[in-house]
Amino acid sequence: MVDDKHLNHASYASSDEEDIDDEEMQQPLTKEEDEEAVLLSNLDVIEISAMTRRTILFCVLILIGGLGAAGLFFWYGYSESVEDADDHFDRRSSELVRLMESKWIDYELTALATHEFCQRENATHVEFTEFYEYVLAAELDVQSLQCARNVTNDERPAIEAESEKYLKETYDYDGYKGFVGLVFDEAGIQAVPNKTQEPYYYIITRMEPFIGNEIAMNLDLKDDELEGRIKLESSWETKKPVLTNRLTTIQETDAAAYAVIIYHPGIPLSTDVPGEYQRATWTSLLVRIPSLLDRVGFLQEENLAIFMYNILDNGGREFLGAASFTIEEKGQPAAVEYIDEIEFEDLIDDHDSDRRLIKRVSIASGSWDVVVVPIDNTYDPSFQFIIFGSCMIFLIGVGVSFWMYSNMRRTVEIYKAKAQAEAERTIVTNLFPETVRERLVEGAKAKNEIIRRRARRRKKNGNLGVSEHLTSEALFGSKPIADFYPAVTILCADLAGFTAWSSQREPSQVFSLLEVIYHDFDEVAKRRGIFKVETVGDAYVAAAGVPNYRDDHAVVIARFAENMLDHLRLIVNQLETTLGPDTGDLDIRIGIHSGPVTAGVLRGDKGRFQLFGDTMNMASRMESTAGAGNIQITAETAALLKAAGKEHWIEPREGKVMVKGKGNLSTFWLKKRSKGGSHVSSGGSLGSLDAQEWFPKEENAEKAKVERLVTWNVEQMCILVREIVARRDAKKAAQAAAARARVPSLKPRKMSLDTASDNTETDVKDDDSATPLEQVKDVIYLPQFDEAAFRTEVDASEVHIPSKVVRQLREFVTGIGSMYRANPFHNFEHASHVAMSVTKLLSRIVNPRQHNIEASKTSPSAVSDVAASIHDHTFGITSDPLTHFAAFFSALIHDVDHPGVPNPVLMEEMPMMAENYKHKSVAEQNSVDLAWLLLMGDEYKEMCEFIFENVEEMKRFRQLVINMVMATDVMDKELGALRKDRWKKAFDEEYREFKSEDEDKNRKATIVIEHLIQASDVSHTMQHWHVYIRWNENLFMELYDAYRKGRIENDPSEGWYKGEIGFLFRTKVYQMERKSLYGAL
């Protein structure tokens, strides 16, 4: 053991202490140094002089180049900054215009939905009122909602009677005048009874709200010679919605607040017969422009102002409205401030052309000019960094010049040192003759040979004496390698949540996580001069003060512990994109203790440097009682930190800690350093300086997690897509070989979303009118085993997926994620967990490909026989990559748009949806339809063509998805009974229906696939206890929130555990019974 503190501590000296002082180098040579210079040859002196001149010249050139580079950087940076500011404004302003357009589409869609209601002949005033209240509940501010239609003179008495009765009973209104027209006189707008006997009228039959709009009840728009009738007839003739010019409503209190009316004639139906009489029906929405601006401001993210102008028929522009949006607090809706009316030309003159956006957008039948301008200096170019960078470039040039000059001076000193070393070698040679030096070397070799001969003798003579055989000297040729270290600090760390996390992962994923984490810890330990003792599972042990003494052992271990916390959080968040959900939730707990240890090498097989003693035990106890994200230290370590002036690093832990074999002890927390250098408790806020710089803010943490989940799902789906393509390429190669051998083969129809059909979605669906539940099949036929394709299939990892397909796949997964609601349980993270579980279950089933390589080495002819046998044993499930992809896809989309309540409650809340899906598995069918509608979008055309070779493949994929998603409805007793009957038909000999071997095998495959997705959907009930507790709590909170909001009647907290037990018996016990029949589950 080394005791020279100064010698050992020198290895930790800063680089500043090792550098040669430039000022000393510039001093005149002393007498001794002048004598050393004599050692230099004349040639060296000449070379040094030339090097000095070259160095000075280079320094001048570097200074000039640095000045030029600084100027060039400033010019380029200035141009880029201005361009970036322009691009930033253009991007944000365009987003604002698109946001305004999307919000306007909401009104058009509402008009369309209202029109569907207005077409109903038997719709009552009360139902229309309820529909209007539903529109308001959807937070769509519509000032007036009206239904209008053409009414014959014969229908007039009945409509007037109905309206008079409704107004009397509902509003106690006695001023009803029947069919009325509008008269404009000095008294204003008045409604007068329509006394004419026209063949037909354009009558407003339904209207909400009534209060304030009494004048419009049963208004004859045909009698209106103004814009209303013209717009109405234009809408009916073109079958498209039309928009009025701006107007000011009677109820409007702000004279500067304008509104527009949209007339919507509905969508022409395929049942309409040309030439026959069609009852004209319109919907009119009165939309306040300020309401539209409010809805835009709710989602606006930067400070901007928007101005909207209507394009008149004569080409002129009329002001509609304007508002400025100010973000006062990040994450909160923008503050909206309305702007007074301003002429378009004046607005353009007031704003610079580089800082405004003018875009003409189509609104219904008309067009609007939308102008976006900044309201502050957000979009002004920033030059601070450019100025700073230019100065730094110049200073770097100056620094490099001084460095070159200083390096030249150091080179002179090196030449002197070499000369001195050569002189010393000459002296040593003179002191020790060559023969002596050779004997010294031979003596060292002879000592090693003696040790080797002794070892050979012990191996030959096994009956050595007891005194020789039972000593270290006899066994290893020397005394034990062991020392006592009186001052050491030990760190024990353990991953919190690792056991639960690893229970859901494959072995390769577990080792991948540990290797990445431990490698990073090892690198940090090397940089800090810390000795890594060992790793046991997910535990990491390190020490300072051993094997080399250092008096700052407690301080350096404390800093290392902080680095471990910070780096772990960065690593697990990055790994979540490859290792799946919950990886980012892993944490670490650390315990530290200081004291004496005995350390040495236990020689023999796998000998290594080890530590023994109570200090190790205490560090382990500190770790086990620390808690996730904390660093707990003992009083001994705390005392060392205080002595080192680091008292502000620690704080006492409240209460005492029960330590095995020690009793109740007082311990301390090691605080974390904040950005400013101050410390916070390790048990409190997360992250040190590095972690806070890299980690997302709290309000963006959930978004970052979703993005990581999206990345993980995309990577997993890419793996499955590669397997699909590899199998497809193998089949094509087999077909080509068969063609060359003149063996006829059937080629499936190639799918093209451009030429296969006008509607690929319709081609894929067997019955477009049937609900997903009605499309469930008892038997889905999987591909038969293809021996030729199996032999030629290549490694799927070598398959290249075009970047455009990967981008579309990511956009699709992101779209699916956005369709999930913010439920505690039925959310995107839960769907990712289910996808991970179904992948794990499928990987546990024997795959023919797993036996291909090994079997081919010994008996290539036996490969196909083994693979075919495995294919039949697993009913072809594991041989079909498309089935794997469908299982992952089904898990990902099975809870899309889940409302957070059970199906019975959903059917009460959404009666129209329940009616569409015939009151069965409403949430599940809705998820399938929404996900499939997204998949069939034109934006995913290339992705679908890459994954599915033909329409038949897509049909089978859709059928698999329908069966699997419908199987996740485990709460419907009737469907559960049907599913049990299907299992009996497949596996129970008493009820088995056997028609053919192929049908029997595929029937079994179909029901097994459904049970796989069922087991995955509730897999948290079979995994680690912590995993079960987490998701069970999430489910409870979801139902309790629904109960608190009055959506469900029963309090879930009453008898929750009984319900869970009942659920386990209904589902898991049933699935375990199935497992006895088929070992893959």
Side-chain angles (χ1 to χ4, degrees), residues 428-429 431-443:
V428 171
T429 302
L431 289 175
F432 298 96
E434 183 175 355
T435 57
V436 174
R437 286 187 282 112
E438 291 178 355
R439 283 186 214 160
L440 290 174
V441 174
E442 291 297 328

Side-chain angles (χ1 to χ4, degrees), residues 554-555 558 633 636-647 649-650 670:
V555 174
I633 64 176
E636 289 78 2
T637 304
L640 292 175
L641 292 177
K642 291 179 182 179
K646 308 300 182 183
E647 183 176 2
W649 285 14
I650 62 176
L670 182 65

Side-chain angles (χ1 to χ4, degrees), residues 595-610:
V597 297
T598 296
V601 178
L602 290 176
R603 292 169 294 185
D605 290 343
K606 300 180 177 61
R608 57 188 175 86
F609 193 84
Q610 292 180 300

Side-chain angles (χ1 to χ4, degrees), residues 302-454:
E302 290 198 17
N303 300 341
L304 289 170
I306 186 171
F307 297 79
M308 296 184 295
Y309 295 87
N310 182 35
I311 306 302
L312 301 176
D313 294 338
N314 58 8
R317 298 179 178 87
E318 66 176 4
F319 178 84
L320 291 177
S324 62
F325 307 111
T326 305
I327 307 300
E328 299 177 350
E329 184 177 352
K330 191 172 183 180
Q332 298 296 322
V336 182
E337 182 178 352
Y338 303 115
I339 301 176
D340 295 336
E341 182 172 352
I342 181 175
E343 293 296 328
F344 180 85
E345 291 74 16
D346 295 338
L347 175 65
I348 300 305
D349 293 338
D350 292 343
H351 291 83
D352 182 71
S353 60
D354 294 334
R355 289 295 181 274
R356 69 167 184 258
L357 174 70
I358 304 175
K359 187 173 183 180
R360 178 161 296 186
V361 297
S362 298
I363 302 295
S365 61
S367 298
W368 291 358
D369 273 350
V370 180
V371 183
V372 181
V373 298
I375 60 175
D376 54 21
N377 60 354
T378 301
Y379 301 97
D380 292 341
S382 177
F383 303 113
Q384 290 84 352
F385 174 77
I386 301 172
I387 297 174
F388 174 79
S390 301
C391 294
M392 288 301 299
I393 291 175
F394 178 74
L395 291 177
I396 289 173
V398 174
V400 170
S401 299
F402 280 99
W403 174 83
M404 290 186 63
Y405 185 80
S406 176
N407 189 62
M408 180 270 297
R409 299 291 301 172
R410 294 188 183 188
T411 303
V412 174
E413 296 297 327
I414 291 173
Y415 274 131
K416 293 179 181 179
K418 286 182 177 181
Q420 183 68 26
E422 182 65 20
E424 292 175 353
R425 190 186 67 81
T426 303
I427 294 173
V428 171
T429 302
N430 294 334
L431 289 175
F432 298 96
E434 183 175 355
T435 57
V436 174
R437 286 187 282 112
E438 291 178 355
R439 283 186 214 160
L440 290 174
V441 174
E442 291 297 328
K445 293 180 179 180
K447 182 178 180 180
N448 294 334
E449 182 63 25
I450 292 173
I451 295 175
R452 287 194 293 270
R453 285 203 302 266
R454 184 182 301 169

Side-chain angles (χ1 to χ4, degrees), residues 53-70:
R53 290 192 297 270
R54 290 196 303 269
T55 302
I56 295 175
L57 177 61
F58 283 143
C59 290
V60 174
L61 293 177
I62 289 174
L63 287 175
I64 296 174
L67 183 61

Side-chain angles (χ1 to χ4, degrees), residues 825 971 1018 1020-1022 1025 1027-1037 1039 1052-1069:
F825 184 84
M971 302 307 294
V1018 292
H1020 64 279
T1021 62
M1022 301 179 291
W1025 171 249
V1027 177
Y1028 171 76
I1029 286 295
R1030 175 193 174 190
W1031 287 106
N1032 191 258
E1033 180 183 1
N1034 288 351
L1035 178 60
F1036 173 81
M1037 295 306 299
L1039 294 177
S1053 62
E1054 298 177 358
W1056 176 261
Y1057 76 96
K1058 293 182 179 179
E1060 287 299 295
I1061 294 174
F1063 174 79
L1064 289 174
F1065 273 96
R1066 289 194 307 271
T1067 58
K1068 305 319 299 174
V1069 174

